[in-house]
Amino acid sequence: MNVECLLRDSMKTKPKSNRGARQKTSTPKNVTRMNYNENPYGMSDEVKKAVTDASLNSYMYQDFYAVDLKKQLADLYGLTVDHVCIGAGSSAIIDMLGEVFINYGDEVVYCAPTYEAFPDMVSDNGGVRVVLPLTDDYCYDLDAMLAAITDKTKMVIVCNPNNPTGTYVNSAKVEEFIRKLPDHVIPVVDEAYFEYVEDPTHYSLIKMIQEGYDRPLFVLRTFSKIYGMAGLRIGYTFADPLLIDELMKACQAWNVSYNALAAAQAALKDQEYIKKIKALTTAGREYLEDELTKLGCTLAKPCANFIYFDTHHDPKEIRAALAERKIMISAFGFNRVSVGTEEQNKAFIAALKEILAAY
Ligand SMILES: *Cc1c(COP(=O)(O)O)cnc(C)c1O
C-alpha cells in the first residue's frame, strides 16, 4: 500500500516529532514520575469529589459551550465568556491555533528548546519554523525574535515560563515586545506555569486583554500543572472575542469531557489549594537547586515546578541511569527534572549522587 501519496503535503515533509504522544511507546508503570511536570500531590479533595460525582453523570453529553466554566473564568479575570475558549488541554488549543491561522509558507517565530507542541503545530499545517536560540541564560530572546519578523511571519510564540528550561522573561518585557509587533503577527503567550512564578512584578499577559488590547493576542493556560489535573485534559485561552470566534471554528466536537469540566469548576473555587501547592513546590525546588548545585551541576534559573540542569555528562545517559533506578526524568540539551514530593526529591538526589560518583 502506498500511504505516502495519500498524505497531505504538510505531513509528507514534516520532521519526525519528539513528543511522547507521537511515539509508539507507553508511559512506564510503577516508577517515580519526575519527567512530566505533573503536580505530585494530585487534585484537591474538592476536585476529587467533583470528578467522582461527575463520573456518574457521564452518560450525558457535557455542555459543549462550557458556559458555566467560561463564566467562572470570565468573572475571575474580569472578562466575558466571549473572551474564553476551552480545549482538551492547552495542547489542543495550540493545535486549533495552527488549524485556524497557519497557512502553507507562513512563518512562526520562537526560541528553542521549547514546548514541542509548537513545532508540531507549525509543521502540521505547512508553516515554516523560524527557530532562534535562547539567550545565554536560557531565556526567550525577544530582541532576536523581533529582528526575525518578516512579511511572512504569521505567529510568534512566547512560552513563559519556558519548558524545558524553567526560565521566564518578566511580563513587562513581553508586553513591550508584543506592542512592537506588526498587525499581521499573532503573539501566542503560553502561561502553563504562570502560577508558580514568585516574582511579584511578574503579571499575566491576560492583563492586556483586560485592558482591551485591540490587536491579536492569545494567552494560554492549563489545568494540567499546578491544578494537578493533567489526565483530565482541560485548558483554555483568553483573547479578544473576534479572535475567539475564529478559533472556535476548529473546536473538536465534545472535546472536553464531562469530568474535566466539573473538575475545572471545582478547582477554580479552591484557590487555597493552589497557594498550598505553590509553597510546597517552591520549597522542593529550592531543595533541589541546592543539592544539584552541591553535586556540581549547572542550572538554568528555575521559576516553575521543574529544573533544567547540566551534569556535564550525556543527558541521555543520565536519564537512562536514573530510569534503571526507577526514577524518570527528561533529557533535552540538558536534563530536566520535575519537582516531586519531599520523598521523591530526596530519592532523586541520592540516586543522582551515586550515578555521578561512578563517572
Ligand atoms: C504542560 C504544558 C502545557 C499544557 O499542556 P496540556 O495540554 O494543557 O496538558 C502547555 N504548555 C506548556 C509549555 C507545557 O509545558
Side-chain angles (χ1 to χ4, degrees), residues 36-37 88-92 94 114-115 118 159-163 190-193 220-225 230 233-235 306 336:
Y36 290 125
N37 298 347
S90 48
S91 312
I94 294 169
T114 196
Y115 190 47
F118 290 112
C159 189
N160 201 35
N162 186 38
N163 179 9
D190 183 335
E191 294 189 349
Y193 302 98
L220 306 184
R221 289 290 190 88
T222 182
F223 287 96
S224 296
K225 300 290 155 55
R233 310 304 309 131
I234 183 160
F306 57 94
R336 185 195 70 194

Side-chain angles (χ1 to χ4, degrees), residues 113 134-140 162-168 285 288-290 292-293 297-312 333-337:
L134 298 168
T135 61
D136 290 343
D137 46 1
Y138 312 104
C139 290
Y140 253 68
N162 186 38
N163 179 9
T165 57
T167 52
Y168 76 107
R285 185 176 69 217
L288 289 175
E289 274 186 80
D290 282 353
L292 286 169
T293 306
C297 301
T298 307
L299 277 56
K301 193 168 173 9
C303 72
N305 63 336
F306 57 94
I307 298 180
Y308 192 62
F309 65 102
D310 183 7
T311 61
H312 312 292
F334 298 144
N335 288 109
R336 185 195 70 194
V337 63

Side-chain angles (χ1 to χ4, degrees), residues 151-281:
D151 290 348
K152 289 191 181 147
T153 310
K154 174 59 70 68
M155 194 178 277
V156 296
I157 312 294
V158 184
C159 189
N160 201 35
N162 186 38
N163 179 9
T165 57
T167 52
Y168 76 107
V169 179
N170 189 286
S171 33
K173 284 198 184 139
V174 183
E175 176 167 353
E176 196 186 310
F177 163 78
I178 290 171
R179 290 186 186 279
K180 285 185 194 154
L181 293 171
D183 287 349
H184 66 279
V185 176
I186 307 167
V188 174
V189 184
D190 183 335
E191 294 189 349
Y193 302 98
F194 173 80
E195 296 91 340
Y196 291 106
V197 180
E198 297 277 355
D199 175 357
T201 70
H202 187 64
Y203 54 86
S204 169
L205 268 286
I206 296 170
K207 184 201 82 153
M208 293 180 71
I209 301 167
Q210 291 165 332
E211 290 170 354
Y213 185 64
D214 62 356
R215 291 196 295 146
L217 170 62
F218 286 94
V219 183
L220 306 184
R221 289 290 190 88
T222 182
F223 287 96
S224 296
K225 300 290 155 55
I226 204 164
Y227 286 94
M229 292 165 41
L232 279 165
R233 310 304 309 131
I234 183 160
Y236 56 97
T237 185
F238 282 117
D240 184 278
L242 291 173
L243 293 163
I244 295 290
D245 281 354
E246 299 306 325
L247 194 64
M248 296 274 297
K249 290 179 179 169
C251 238
Q252 289 175 340
W254 316 109
N255 70 344
V256 180
S257 74
Y258 201 109
N259 281 4
L261 283 177
Q265 283 175 247
L268 286 178
K269 285 182 197 141
D270 198 356
Q271 292 296 321
E272 278 310 304
Y273 185 71
I274 301 310
K275 275 191 208 152
K276 188 176 119 188
I277 296 300
K278 181 175 179 171
L280 286 167
T281 305

Side-chain angles (χ1 to χ4, degrees), residues 27-35 323 326-328 344:
T27 311
K29 296 188 175 74
N30 305 317
V31 291
T32 301
R33 297 161 68 100
M34 301 176 83
N35 54 335
K326 295 204 171 290
I327 298 174
M328 311 306 287
Q344 290 172 335

